Amino acid sequence: MSKRLTSRRLFLLGNNLFLLLLAIACLLPLINVLAVSFSSSSAAAAGLVKLWPIEFTLASYKHALGKKEFIDAFIVSLQRVALGYSINMLLTILIAFPLSREKSALRSRSVYAWFFIVTMMFSGGLIPTYMTVRSVGILDTMWALVLPGAVPVFNVILLMNFFRNLPKEIEEAAHIDGAGHWRVLLSIYLPLSKPAIATITLFVLVGHWNAWFDGLIYMNSPANYPLQSYLQTVIIEVDPSLVSNTELINSQLVSDRTFKAAQVFLAALPVLAIYPFLQKYFMKGLVMGSVKG
Amino acid sequence: MKKHRRTKGILLLTLVLAMLITACSSNNSTTNNESSTAAPQTGNAEEANNAGQAAIDINAKYDPPIEITGWRYTESTYQYENGDTIEDNIYTRTYEEDLGIKLKYTWTVPLEQFKQKLNVSIAAGDLPDIMWVEAQQLAELTENDLILDLTELYEQYASPVAKDILEQDMKAFNTAKIGGKLMAIPHTSSAVDGLPILYVRTDWLANLGMNEPQTMQDVLAIAEAFTKNDPDQNNQEDTFGIAFTKTFLTDTHFGTTGFMSGYHAYPTKWIEKDGQLVYGSIQPEVKQGLEALQKLYANGMIDREFGVKDRAKVTESVAGGKVGMFYGSMSAPLSIIQNNIDNDPAAEWKAFELVSVDEVRATPIAKMPIQKYYVVNKKTKHPEAIFKLLNMSMQGYDLNVEPEEGYGYSESGIATFLYNFIAADPALKNLTAHNKVTAALDKNDPSELNAEELGYYERALAFRGGDLSNWGTERVFGTPSSFDVIGAYVDKDNYILDGFYGAATPTMVERNATLLTMEEEVFTKIIMGESLDAFDKFVEDWNKLGGTQITEEVNEWYELIK
């Protein structure tokens, strides 16, 4: 017995140590970026900054917050998240609810289910999607960022499974008391599904906030870029073979690392801020639906 | 309908072939004439149309104004003032007021994302009237018959000044020709600007009592001294001799191109040997260069971690005073070394010509300097509009035209010439600027300078007045400077250009990325200590994995342009 206990302890120790190392490996780059963003630009350019700011200064934050492109892109991203989140949640809930009914209640249920699931496995690919968006006429508008991904099928399935696990008796009781389908959804299912809704909220918010590729493809002017598309242009290094010599002279490629770091950190801030509030639901929500009652 | 198109295609093909055969023995102007006389016989509606419009006065303003669509990239360094944007600035306003052309961008995109956006738009068939493209897309668009043959229009409408600028370097201009037809207006610029230069930290040389490098042996000795003899006199062994990036084969800054030239080796470039083009990386000279690099690495004179460092990282080493020598292009004082000067005002660097390992002089090599092409959509209603734009933009180089304010730099010093939609640079633009700026500095008389040169002059003057933040401009356009070195290359006629400058051949498209990765891996490993036999194995593999075929295709192309 005691032997098993020590081996268990050893395992726990090793496991915790491993997880700790993993956590540090994830944290260090973030701390480094933070330290660089608070350092003087000459110290950063010389590669002296490790985990603690050198010659502490807020200059790069002032610069970032005063930069029109950054602020504009930030606002575009906020709008996108607000609009995209509303559309995603509305459609997710409205699709997941009927699909969670019994086959007797919704006759072609499996047809509908497959209709959505197919899109998880097959997609048109980049160019056809682009052409569709163009033909719809929403190129270079906010709609191009939120409509192509309006139905997050994975989230629908998550929520559908959660709905199914709620005791059917509650719904039956509500029906007997005269509640219609809308009433059941709004007054019973939604309040009971807070963990699942919170999880999906997190997925959707982070997804919209971090998406950059669609901004690049669908937007025709950098002025309309969401934050992450803008950041990508700031961070990736220009392929020097693309730049003409004249442009090389005029674009002093002085790497302003502190400024970049400040922008990266500011962009990550909203997600960092909402994570702690949703995390308790997040862990609960992921296993939901995996164990059938 | 389909059949009709096919016969037309065959007709065109035979015509192109016939032209190619005759073009082999003739120079370019006759090629152009031949194609212009031959074109109407094809019965191509568009060509006939153009001939019918011959009465167009190229200097006239469109009335009523027309709309031209286009796309372009912008760079993060573009600056704007007074509410200007890339869609609305001194250039777009002049286009509309003087030419009657309303330029509308279907999209603009930061340079970093240009390729992706370009490829998606072309694949989706979303083509505007005038497009910025690269060599690859130029070949693809031509192959798919989506862009206009400009041969005849160019002859007819391009102004003498524009032709003079574009054709200063005939080799560069010819890259825009496919099958003898001018398919694009190339954005020409200066080839010599890309030649590699050796930069050495001279205050360290002085600290160690060493002389400026004359030979490769000197460079190796300096590298050793910079590593072991504490050149920064801080009593720590924290410096190394010579800086390279992980992408050393192709990088303009911190590349090995200049070093390899010292061994008469030209990796990743195509060079002529016995009338044929051969791939530089598989020549025996490369082995000697690699051996030298291997020794440098083994003795700690190259950064231990160079294999994972990109340019930004290596620039940190320079800025932090950890390294005192590297090979770079003429812009290094501005884009790289200025960081070091900012950190350490005592630092001083000088540009040197490449040095050789033996009595044969080292010859620098550069790539054909064309990064972008302007092409015209076949469906455009105004095929001549691009020439109105071109002629206007080339006016600045016309000595008979009084220069106007604002088209180079604005009053407050913002580079407005970058807004220009259709531009091309004279072959020796920056070298000329350097010569004029130094002459003006000597005489204290800037009256001969144009707006752009005046900007360099003023910054160089500021440096001489003690402003170290303008050190870079002085060391590029003043003297001693990187352009002193470029000037020496040109005076001695001591430089060559990459022998292959066409669009990628079919096997290249398929294999080149893999081959280049292999090359980079093998060379990196050799430098880090693997046996030199790996080089012979690499040559064998390269040939086997498509290299032989690529060489054949490249030489087929070479036969055509000879």
Side-chain angles (χ1 to χ4, degrees):
Chain A
M1 190 70 190
S2 73
K3 198 178 165 199
R4 251 185 80 191
L5 216 67
T6 39
S7 71
R8 169 95 186 134
R9 261 196 206 133
L10 265 177
F11 167 76
L12 277 181
L13 191 73
N15 195 27
N16 282 341
L17 217 61
F18 174 70
L19 289 176
L20 195 70
L21 282 176
L22 217 59
I24 289 175
C26 293
L27 262 180
L28 284 184
L30 201 66
I31 294 173
N32 178 252
V33 168
L34 194 61
V36 167
S37 71
F38 281 119
S39 299
S40 77
S41 60
S42 61
L48 301 172
V49 185
K50 301 283 185 284
L51 297 178
W52 198 252
I54 292 174
E55 299 169 40
F56 184 88
T57 166
L58 289 171
S60 50
Y61 282 90
K62 278 189 193 137
H63 188 182
L65 292 174
K67 194 171 161 78
K68 196 173 163 300
E69 287 95 336
F70 182 79
I71 300 295
D72 285 352
F74 206 99
I75 292 170
V76 171
S77 263
L78 285 180
Q79 288 170 338
R80 176 198 177 143
V81 168
L83 187 64
Y85 175 72
S86 318
I87 293 176
N88 282 165
M89 287 316 279
L90 185 74
L91 291 178
T92 305
I93 293 169
L94 287 186
I95 292 168
F97 184 63
L99 286 183
S100 68
R101 305 296 83 191
E102 291 296 319
K103 216 172 171 179
S104 53
L106 180 66
R107 254 197 305 148
S108 316
R109 190 182 150 269
S110 57
V111 176
Y112 286 117
W114 278 107
F115 177 76
F116 289 109
I117 288 168
V118 161
T119 64
M120 280 180 87
M121 294 180 277
F122 304 100
S123 78
L126 178 61
I127 304 296
T129 311
Y130 173 84
M131 292 171 88
T132 310
V133 169
R134 191 189 55 186
S135 325
V136 174
I138 54 175
L139 217 53
D140 209 22
T141 66
M142 177 68 66
W143 296 109
L145 303 180
V146 294
L147 286 188
V151 181
V153 180
F154 179 76
N155 293 348
V156 169
I157 292 174
L158 212 70
L159 193 62
M160 181 183 84
N161 282 335
F162 193 92
F163 282 161
R164 278 200 192 161
N165 288 335
L166 296 176
K168 250 187 294 205
E169 291 75 14
I170 309 180
E171 192 196 345
E172 280 162 11
H175 278 311
I176 289 168
D177 286 347
H181 287 300
W182 283 103
R183 192 70 209 235
V184 171
L185 174 64
L186 295 177
S187 304
I188 297 174
Y189 272 71
L190 285 189
L192 284 175
S193 309
K194 266 190 211 142
I197 303 262
T199 307
I200 294 172
T201 298
L202 197 70
F203 283 158
V204 169
L205 288 184
V206 173
H208 272 298
W209 188 258
N210 283 348
W212 64 274
F213 193 68
D214 48 0
L216 156 68
I217 296 298
Y218 297 134
M219 290 303 173
N220 286 337
S221 152
N224 293 340
Y225 276 9
L227 190 57
Q228 305 293 346
S229 306
Y230 162 76
L231 272 187
Q232 204 245 359
T233 69
V234 173
I235 290 157
I236 63 168
E237 214 177 327
V238 191
D239 177 1
S241 70
L242 268 177
V243 191
S244 74
N245 294 312
T246 320
E247 280 159 350
L248 265 183
I249 290 177
N250 283 284
S251 57
Q252 299 197 11
L253 295 167
V254 179
S255 65
D256 202 348
R257 289 192 57 207
T258 57
F259 180 44
K260 286 181 188 178
Q263 294 181 86
V264 168
F265 193 75
L266 283 174
L269 208 56
V271 172
L272 285 178
I274 57 164
Y275 228 86
F277 297 103
L278 292 173
Q279 203 191 12
K280 54 177 177 180
Y281 296 114
F282 187 46
M283 294 165 73
K284 213 173 173 184
L286 258 190
V287 294
M288 281 303 158
S290 57
V291 183
K292 297 251 164 73
Chain B
M1 184 61 201
K2 223 173 199 171
K3 198 180 164 197
H4 176 67
R5 199 180 278 164
R6 193 177 297 158
T7 41
K8 203 165 94 181
I10 292 170
L11 252 172
L12 268 173
L13 191 74
T14 41
L15 183 79
V16 168
L17 281 176
M19 269 163 42
L20 288 182
I21 293 161
T22 47
C24 282
S25 55
S26 58
N27 66 27
N28 297 294
S29 61
T30 56
T31 319
N32 291 344
N33 287 338
E34 269 161 19
S35 65
S36 57
T37 48
Q41 293 167 6
T42 59
N44 187 318
E46 238 135 359
E47 302 271 358
N49 220 355
N50 294 338
Q53 288 173 353
I56 286 176
D57 174 10
I58 195 65
N59 298 313
K61 180 180 170 180
Y62 283 111
D63 190 30
I66 59 162
E67 188 183 278
I68 291 289
T69 54
W71 66 42
R72 67 171 297 157
Y73 61 73
T74 60
E75 288 184 63
S76 53
T77 47
Y78 285 18
Q79 287 176 305
Y80 306 96
E81 60 182 356
N82 306 328
D84 278 0
T85 62
I86 196 63
E87 281 100 9
D88 179 21
N89 54 55
I90 182 166
Y91 276 91
T92 57
R93 287 192 290 271
T94 311
Y95 296 153
E96 185 163 354
E97 282 158 24
D98 291 3
L99 304 175
I101 293 177
K102 279 186 201 161
L103 181 61
K104 191 172 163 278
Y105 291 118
T106 52
W107 50 256
T108 60
V109 71
L111 169 64
E112 292 82 353
Q113 299 163 333
F114 178 58
K115 255 184 200 169
Q116 276 172 316
K117 186 90 182 167
L118 184 62
N119 287 331
V120 170
S121 298
I122 290 179
D126 227 359
L127 306 184
D129 293 317
I130 300 174
M131 293 160 263
W132 288 21
V133 300
E134 293 165 27
Q136 194 58 45
Q137 293 85 19
L138 173 63
E140 285 166 11
L141 288 169
T142 308
E143 199 172 316
N144 291 307
D145 199 22
L146 289 167
I147 52 176
L148 203 61
D149 174 6
L150 298 175
T151 318
E152 205 183 335
L153 293 164
Y154 173 77
E155 281 303 313
Q156 206 174 345
Y157 294 130
S159 68
V161 180
K163 281 182 188 163
D164 179 51
I165 302 284
L166 286 169
E167 294 175 24
Q168 276 182 6
D169 183 346
M170 225 35 219
K171 265 191 191 169
F173 181 70
N174 284 343
T175 61
K177 289 186 180 165
I178 293 180
K181 290 181 179 175
L182 186 69
M183 298 310 294
I185 303 294
H187 180 135
T188 54
S189 65
S190 177
V192 296
D193 285 4
L195 294 172
I197 293 168
L198 172 64
Y199 291 94
V200 182
R201 204 170 152 173
T202 44
D203 61 319
W204 284 9
L205 283 183
N207 284 349
L208 298 170
M210 295 182 83
N211 291 325
E212 295 180 347
Q214 307 280 338
T215 63
M216 186 55 86
Q217 284 75 16
D218 291 346
V219 165
L220 300 178
I222 291 171
E224 179 161 6
F226 278 3
T227 312
K228 298 189 173 152
N229 299 352
D230 190 25
D232 55 353
Q233 298 177 326
N234 66 350
N235 294 322
Q236 279 171 18
E237 255 199 45
D238 58 353
T239 53
F240 58 96
I242 182 163
F244 295 109
T245 52
K246 61 179 177 182
T247 43
F248 56 90
L249 276 170
T250 46
D251 272 3
T252 46
H253 297 307
F254 311 121
T256 51
T257 314
F259 185 87
M260 285 290 183
S261 280
Y263 292 84
H264 317 299
Y266 306 96
T268 73
K269 308 282 196 306
W270 292 84
I271 48 172
E272 193 180 277
K273 242 182 196 174
D274 311 321
Q276 293 269 311
L277 285 184
V278 292
Y279 189 53
S281 301
I282 56 169
Q283 304 307 313
E285 291 88 358
V286 176
K287 199 170 173 179
Q288 294 171 26
L290 284 175
E291 191 179 0
L293 286 171
Q294 191 182 53
K295 269 190 200 140
L296 283 175
Y297 184 85
N299 293 322
M301 296 170 203
I302 299 177
D303 190 347
R304 287 272 142 210
E305 294 170 356
F306 87 95
V308 292
K309 290 195 170 176
D310 61 11
R311 187 171 68 192
K313 275 285 171 201
V314 182
T315 305
E316 284 176 11
S317 303
V318 174
K322 298 283 172 250
V323 64
M325 188 158 51
F326 67 90
Y327 288 91
S329 85
M330 54 82 204
S331 63
L334 277 169
S335 53
I336 309 281
I337 307 175
Q338 182 72 49
N339 293 314
N340 183 223
I341 308 297
D342 291 345
N343 271 320
D344 179 3
E348 186 56 60
W349 292 70
K350 194 174 167 195
F352 295 96
E353 287 178 61
L354 298 187
V355 293
S356 168
V357 72
D358 51 30
E359 58 285 347
V360 182
R361 69 181 180 181
T363 302
I365 189 167
K367 281 187 116 42
M368 195 54 74
I370 302 220
Q371 283 87 17
K372 63 176 179 256
Y373 296 89
Y374 309 115
V375 299
V376 178
N377 189 343
K378 201 152 194 180
K379 291 185 187 139
T380 184
K381 288 191 195 112
H382 308 280
E384 71 291 335
I386 188 172
F387 294 100
K388 295 202 182 204
L389 295 169
L390 175 72
N391 291 349
M392 195 200 97
S393 117
M394 292 295 106
Q395 253 174 33
Y397 297 113
D398 190 342
L399 297 174
N400 301 319
V401 176
E402 195 65 26
E404 279 177 70
E405 284 291 312
Y407 292 95
Y409 286 85
S410 73
E411 255 171 57
S412 54
I414 284 178
T416 49
F417 69 90
L418 297 167
Y419 310 154
N420 198 352
F421 183 50
I422 306 287
D425 296 327
L428 296 176
K429 171 174 166 274
N430 287 325
L431 183 58
T432 311
H434 157 74
N435 290 337
K436 285 170 76 182
V437 168
T438 46
L441 285 167
D442 283 346
K443 286 185 292 185
N444 255 330
D445 171 22
S447 58
E448 304 262 300
L449 305 179
N450 66 26
E452 186 187 337
E453 290 154 3
L454 197 62
Y456 304 141
Y457 173 82
E458 275 162 3
R459 274 178 256 169
L461 219 53
F463 166 74
R464 293 182 181 195
D467 177 5
L468 277 180
S469 68
N470 283 311
W471 182 93
T473 308
E474 166 75 15
R475 287 289 173 270
V476 173
F477 289 105
T479 189
S481 68
S482 54
F483 268 110
D484 284 341
V485 175
I486 301 276
Y489 291 149
V490 173
D491 289 344
K492 297 175 189 165
D493 195 21
N494 180 30
Y495 66 92
I496 50 175
L497 294 180
D498 193 350
F500 178 73
Y501 47 83
T505 68
T507 318
M508 270 191 188
V509 172
E510 201 179 312
R511 301 279 173 79
N512 220 22
T514 324
L515 288 175
L516 259 179
T517 313
M518 176 177 86
E519 185 176 334
E520 212 162 75
E521 267 170 25
V522 173
F523 285 15
T524 307
K525 274 186 194 156
I526 292 178
I527 293 172
M528 291 180 142
E530 193 167 291
S531 152
L532 277 164
D533 297 337
F535 177 75
D536 302 319
K537 172 91 170 39
F538 159 75
V539 175
E540 210 176 287
D541 288 346
W542 189 85
N543 279 320
K544 233 189 304 180
L545 294 172
T548 314
Q549 212 171 335
I550 290 178
T551 308
E552 270 169 33
E553 288 168 354
V554 164
N555 278 297
E556 274 168 32
W557 168 88
Y558 193 51
E559 282 302 314
L560 284 181
I561 61 122
K562 248 188 203 171

